[in-house]
Amino acid sequence: MRLVLHLLRREQQDVVAFADSLSELVKNVRYCHVCHNISDEETCSICANPARDHATVCVVETIQDVMAIEATHQYRGTYHVLGGVISPMDGIGPQDLEVESLVERVKAGGIGEVILALSPTMEGDTTSFYIYRKLAATPVNVTTLARGVAQNDQLHYTDEVTLGRSIVDRKPFKA
Amino acid sequence: MRLVLHLLRREQQDVVAFADSLSELVKNVRYCHVCHNISDEETCSICANPARDHATVCVVETIQDVMAIEATHQYRGTYHVLGGVISPMDGIGPQDLEVESLVERVKAGGIGEVILALSPTMEGDTTSFYIYRKLAATPVNVTTLARGVAQNDQLHYTDEVTLGRSIVDRKPFKA
């Protein structure tokens, strides 16, 4: 309703242009055939970029996660978008996700490391474990995100599991 | 006001007992002469416990942090309570904290690792760096808490700095 009322207040030609853009969006948006990220082309700009490290694949749930990781400017490898996590409660199994295409990508060779960057929740951990088992027969290194205290958190407000993990996984202090 | 009105509704003897407990609290609570944690005795129950690892000292800001870390059941070493962090804005310098006593504790020997478990804020990082420099002349290993995504967080809601750090510090996947 708010959108419609707003559009009625705008110039007619603006609304038509907006409607055309929406049609274009739906018609032209495609998904990268390699990593399943959003793309204009058959291969997305990350997979097509020779400056990226194609031997490292970061497995994420959604396109938003790709955007979040790109925004950190800390990662120069490629991605693989699963399209969700295994969640029996929601009726989502491995066959609904891009797991098989990941395994095929790894089996095709040239990949040295698969980073499992799924949400640190029950569903994310289950999915990570499933993929880890699927990749066990391949020689690829499977890694996962560091867990610990978040920047600017107060220590005594951090949940017990995360705080415990951050102590067990402590690292040499770097100045 | 709420406390006073509540006390007026209670039996007189209960209130007297409560007042006595408060006096006892203030009179009897002491601070451990080793780690400055709260204690009934001259030495707190953690420092006096021979089952704890006395070669590892975890440096924290407050007594609440000791409680938070104890609640994780992941740490068997001892502590050193600084009493805060360096904060020029609040007029708190190193001389207001238990830094000198930490350095003396390390110099006295028998300590192999100092874990800097301060809040991952600007002030906490500044204090960590200050202590790191102070301990540079000693052979002790200085470590710090792992930083990364927190248990049950959604990945794309994690702040950029933490997410970036969790990718750079990624670890082998453990099933």
Side-chain angles (χ1 to χ4, degrees):
Chain A
M1 176 67 99
R2 279 172 63 187
L3 176 64
V4 169
L5 290 177
H6 177 76
L7 291 177
L8 285 175
R9 276 203 305 271
R10 300 295 297 252
E11 294 291 328
Q12 194 179 349
Q13 71 211 45
D14 288 356
V15 178
V16 171
F18 177 63
D20 286 348
S21 301
L22 278 183
S23 311
E24 288 294 300
L25 176 75
V26 176
K27 276 182 217 148
N28 293 340
V29 158
R30 291 196 285 181
Y31 295 93
C32 174
H33 74 120
V34 180
C35 75
H36 313 285
N37 190 11
I38 208 165
S39 176
D40 312 316
E41 311 287 332
E42 199 179 341
T43 307
C44 76
S45 58
I46 295 173
C47 287
N49 184 349
R52 307 281 306 210
D53 169 16
H54 289 265
T56 308
V57 176
C58 184
V59 179
V60 295
E61 286 165 49
T62 63
I63 291 159
Q64 280 125 291
D65 293 334
V66 173
M67 292 171 181
I69 293 174
E70 285 297 289
T72 68
H73 301 291
Q74 298 291 317
Y75 181 65
R76 298 300 301 160
T78 59
Y79 293 92
H80 191 90
V81 181
L82 288 181
V85 280
I86 296 170
S87 175
M89 296 282 280
D90 302 310
I92 301 171
Q95 71 287 347
D96 302 310
L97 307 172
E98 293 292 349
V99 175
E100 212 42 59
S101 60
L102 173 67
V103 175
E104 274 162 34
R105 230 177 124 181
V106 170
K107 280 186 181 158
I111 294 172
E113 180 180 0
V114 169
I115 306 169
L116 299 174
L118 307 180
S119 288
T121 56
M122 175 92 81
E123 289 80 8
D125 288 346
T126 305
T127 311
S128 288
F129 183 66
Y130 181 85
I131 295 173
Y132 174 75
R133 289 287 297 273
K134 276 277 187 184
L135 295 177
T138 72
V140 79
N141 282 323
V142 182
T143 58
T144 188
L145 296 183
R147 296 195 190 177
V149 291
Q151 193 68 17
N152 290 322
D153 259 12
Q154 289 295 315
L155 212 69
H156 52 271
Y157 293 141
T158 304
D159 69 278
E160 278 173 23
V161 176
T162 303
L163 185 56
R165 187 92 167 231
S166 76
I167 294 172
V168 173
D169 290 348
R170 64 185 179 267
K171 303 163 41 80
F173 184 85
K174 270 183 231 151
Chain B
M1 176 65 103
R2 280 172 64 188
L3 176 64
V4 170
L5 290 177
H6 177 75
L7 291 177
L8 285 176
R9 276 204 305 272
R10 300 295 297 253
E11 293 290 329
Q12 193 179 350
Q13 70 211 45
D14 287 357
V15 178
V16 172
F18 176 62
D20 287 349
S21 302
L22 278 183
S23 314
E24 288 294 299
L25 176 75
V26 177
K27 275 182 218 150
N28 291 341
V29 158
R30 290 195 286 180
Y31 295 92
C32 174
H33 73 121
V34 181
C35 74
H36 312 286
N37 190 11
I38 207 165
S39 176
D40 312 318
E41 311 287 333
E42 199 179 341
T43 307
C44 76
S45 58
I46 294 173
C47 287
N49 184 350
R52 307 282 303 212
D53 169 15
H54 289 264
T56 309
V57 175
C58 184
V59 180
V60 294
E61 286 165 49
T62 63
I63 291 159
Q64 279 126 292
D65 293 335
V66 173
M67 290 172 182
I69 293 174
E70 285 296 289
T72 69
H73 300 292
Q74 299 290 317
Y75 181 65
R76 298 301 299 159
T78 59
Y79 293 93
H80 192 89
V81 181
L82 288 182
V85 279
I86 297 170
S87 175
M89 296 281 281
D90 303 311
I92 301 171
Q95 71 288 348
D96 302 311
L97 306 172
E98 293 290 350
V99 174
E100 213 41 59
S101 61
L102 172 67
V103 175
E104 273 162 35
R105 228 178 125 182
V106 170
K107 280 185 181 158
I111 294 173
E113 181 181 0
V114 169
I115 307 169
L116 299 175
L118 307 181
S119 288
T121 56
M122 176 92 82
E123 289 81 8
D125 287 347
T126 305
T127 311
S128 288
F129 183 66
Y130 181 84
I131 295 173
Y132 173 75
R133 291 284 297 274
K134 277 278 187 185
L135 294 177
T138 72
V140 79
N141 282 323
V142 181
T143 59
T144 187
L145 296 183
R147 296 193 191 178
V149 292
Q151 193 68 17
N152 290 323
D153 260 11
Q154 290 295 312
L155 212 68
H156 52 271
Y157 293 141
T158 305
D159 69 279
E160 278 173 22
V161 176
T162 303
L163 185 57
R165 186 93 167 230
S166 75
I167 294 172
V168 174
D169 290 349
R170 63 186 180 268
K171 305 164 37 84
F173 184 86
K174 271 183 228 149

